[in-house]
Amino acid sequence: MDDASDSPDLDPSALPIGVHIVHQYYPGFIDVLPNTLYLVDGAGLRGGVHVLRHVRPLVVTDFLNGLTRSEGEDGAIYTRLERPIGDIEDASNVVDAKGLEGRGAPTIAIEKGRDGRIFYQDVFTEIQTLTEIMTLDSPAGLIAHDQLVGRFVGAYRFVHKDPRLEMPSAVPIETTPLRVGRYFYSAQERALPFDKRIAEAWPNELHLSIAALGRGVRSLRDHDVTPELLEKRSYDLNAHLCNGFALSENLVELERLVDLAFSGGRRRAAIVEAVSLLEVGLLQARDRLPAGERAKSSSNLAPDDLTLKMLVNRVLPHLLRHFDGEPGPLIKRANEMRSIRNSVVHQRHEPSAEEANHVISIVHTIIAILELPDKFKGNWKRTVICQ
């Protein structure tokens, strides 16, 4: 159905000049017909997702290889592989596998040398997203790409019930760099309805975008401390491990939320889940108290009164009485954490990285106090032994 923006009677300057196209190899098998255009129209988003084909590229993991730059005799700078990638050796270990659909095929080949190459097949779906633009320098295409892919994959998962395909994260998928191109409408195409004019859009050429270089720049990382501090870190790590250190189940889950917030870019979800983890940790710690102490921690509180506010201001102070730290500053920080969490949940606040770090750090501090053995804590030693 056409809307007012598609009317040929409008001023031509109010119509889109063309289409911004983003090309991506999406990790996973989107089980639909190849070479099919799907129009996305409604709920504040308009564009298209063109499924081109399914590809199964050969991925080579070569731990003795790398990219190097050198200057040629002509003064030009050349980028080369340190060693060429040739055939898989006949003596390699080759593994055949059968997929969930029953298909069988050679899946992986591993050279027998310890540092040898590993060859394996992966699966991707080649797609292009299409977003109409009003001006030449519009960033609308890159902004809309993730929204279009998310809308498309979400609808696919809902219709097809296919858990093999993961939902996209809130950040561009690092393993598949994006390429971008444009298609400019003719005067006749601009006058057509949306579904007619966008259907023939195709980029003349695609250029690499910088939107997905995160995984590449990992190779630039180095030690983040001086050699002396690096030696101390190694010593402390060994001292923990040989003395039986292990993260509690709640702290393991919290480390996963750190990844979700800062590597996955999903700060809102990480904050909500971290605070829920804290609620669980506080209730578990209360339940570990002797019966008399447990009753004091929740005296005059009905089960329905165990809100986050009550847990932070009634249960937490009682728990901290069993340790030798100063509870006041920590309870204050816990209420700051509660305020951030409430703004995220009730006001749709988009938290900053600093706010996410603030919340997760407070949760980490409290759970570590309650759940780690004293020998692994510099302070907050237990003063009352609870059976």
Side-chain angles (χ1 to χ4, degrees):
M1 182 174 66
D2 302 342
D3 58 25
S5 65
D6 294 324
S7 172
D9 297 330
L10 288 178
D11 181 352
S13 63
L15 297 174
I17 64 170
V19 180
H20 191 282
I21 298 169
V22 181
H23 178 279
Q24 180 179 15
Y25 290 99
Y26 192 85
F29 192 87
I30 305 176
D31 202 0
V32 296
L33 288 173
N35 197 27
T36 305
L37 176 64
Y38 297 85
L39 295 181
V40 176
D41 196 358
L45 186 64
R46 176 184 256 192
V49 178
H50 195 167
V51 176
L52 301 177
R53 59 178 179 146
H54 303 106
V55 295
R56 292 182 173 85
L58 182 67
V59 180
V60 181
T61 303
D62 190 345
F63 293 101
L64 285 183
N65 218 340
L67 292 172
T68 61
R69 276 187 170 177
S70 59
E71 184 175 350
E73 295 180 357
D74 57 356
I77 302 297
Y78 296 93
T79 301
R80 293 186 173 91
L81 287 172
E82 291 182 7
R83 65 174 185 172
I85 298 177
D87 295 335
I88 301 175
E89 296 177 357
D90 292 338
S92 297
N93 296 314
V94 179
V95 177
D96 288 346
K98 180 174 287 187
L100 297 176
E101 301 82 11
R103 298 176 69 249
T107 305
I108 187 171
I110 306 172
E111 292 183 350
K112 290 186 176 180
R114 184 185 67 177
D115 294 317
R117 296 171 295 195
I118 301 172
F119 301 79
Y120 64 94
Q121 284 190 315
D122 212 328
V123 59
F124 295 87
T125 302
E126 185 180 9
I127 63 174
Q128 290 183 165
T129 60
L130 303 94
T131 306
E132 292 189 318
I133 52 176
M134 305 298 293
T135 62
L136 184 61
D137 297 324
S138 172
L142 280 175
I143 293 174
H145 172 74
D146 291 336
Q147 297 174 318
L148 288 168
V149 172
R151 182 78 62 85
F152 176 73
V153 173
Y156 169 82
R157 286 277 300 260
F158 179 82
V159 171
H160 189 40
K161 308 295 189 297
D162 187 355
R164 300 173 302 170
L165 184 70
E166 294 185 6
M167 285 291 291
S169 64
V171 295
I173 296 173
E174 294 182 339
T175 54
T176 56
L178 309 180
R179 296 190 297 167
V180 300
R182 289 191 179 96
Y183 176 86
F184 294 104
Y185 289 137
S186 66
Q188 292 77 17
E189 287 174 319
R190 294 180 72 191
L192 293 174
F194 161 71
D195 57 338
K196 299 289 194 306
R197 64 184 180 237
I198 203 171
E200 300 300 322
W202 190 263
N204 292 324
E205 58 180 333
L206 294 166
H207 302 279
L208 183 65
S209 166
I210 64 171
L213 292 181
R215 186 165 294 272
V217 300
R218 286 175 57 180
S219 63
L220 302 177
R221 295 177 184 174
D222 208 336
H223 299 301
D224 62 352
V225 295
T226 64
E228 294 77 16
L229 290 176
L230 190 64
E231 183 177 354
K232 182 181 184 302
R233 177 185 294 171
S234 302
Y235 177 85
D236 291 343
L237 178 60
N238 182 67
H240 276 65
L241 291 173
C242 69
N243 281 284
F245 176 80
L247 289 176
S248 67
E249 181 179 343
N250 286 332
L251 287 175
V252 168
E253 290 303 315
L254 190 61
E255 291 297 330
R256 295 193 176 108
L257 294 180
V258 172
D259 294 339
L260 182 69
F262 299 107
S263 297
R266 298 178 58 194
R267 296 192 290 264
R268 298 184 76 254
I271 285 176
V272 173
E273 292 186 34
V275 176
S276 295
L277 199 64
L278 176 64
E279 293 176 310
V280 170
L282 291 175
L283 292 173
Q284 290 174 337
R286 184 199 62 170
D287 292 342
R288 289 193 295 268
L289 293 172
E293 289 293 320
R294 185 164 61 248
K296 292 178 184 178
S297 71
S298 302
S299 60
N300 302 322
L301 286 179
D304 292 341
D305 292 330
L306 289 176
T307 61
L308 177 59
K309 182 177 180 179
M310 288 299 182
L311 288 172
V312 166
N313 292 290
R314 288 284 300 276
V315 176
L316 176 60
H318 187 85
L319 293 172
L320 294 179
R321 288 174 47 206
H322 298 83
F323 299 87
D324 63 7
E326 173 55 47
L330 185 55
I331 294 171
K332 179 182 177 181
R333 294 179 64 213
N335 277 295
E336 294 170 351
M337 168 213 70
R338 185 171 63 85
S339 177
I340 295 172
R341 178 264 183 195
N342 287 344
S343 67
V344 167
V345 172
H346 302 301
Q347 301 171 20
R348 303 291 298 172
H349 172 62
E350 189 62 43
S352 65
E354 291 75 15
E355 288 174 316
N357 181 63
H358 189 69
V359 169
I360 292 174
S361 296
I362 296 168
V363 173
H364 184 278
T365 298
I366 295 173
I367 293 180
I369 291 170
L370 299 177
E371 298 184 0
L372 288 184
D374 284 351
K375 62 182 177 180
F376 299 120
K377 295 184 293 189
N379 50 22
W380 289 100
K381 298 291 195 299
R382 188 176 293 275
T383 58
V384 177
I385 303 300
C386 300
Q387 302 297 327

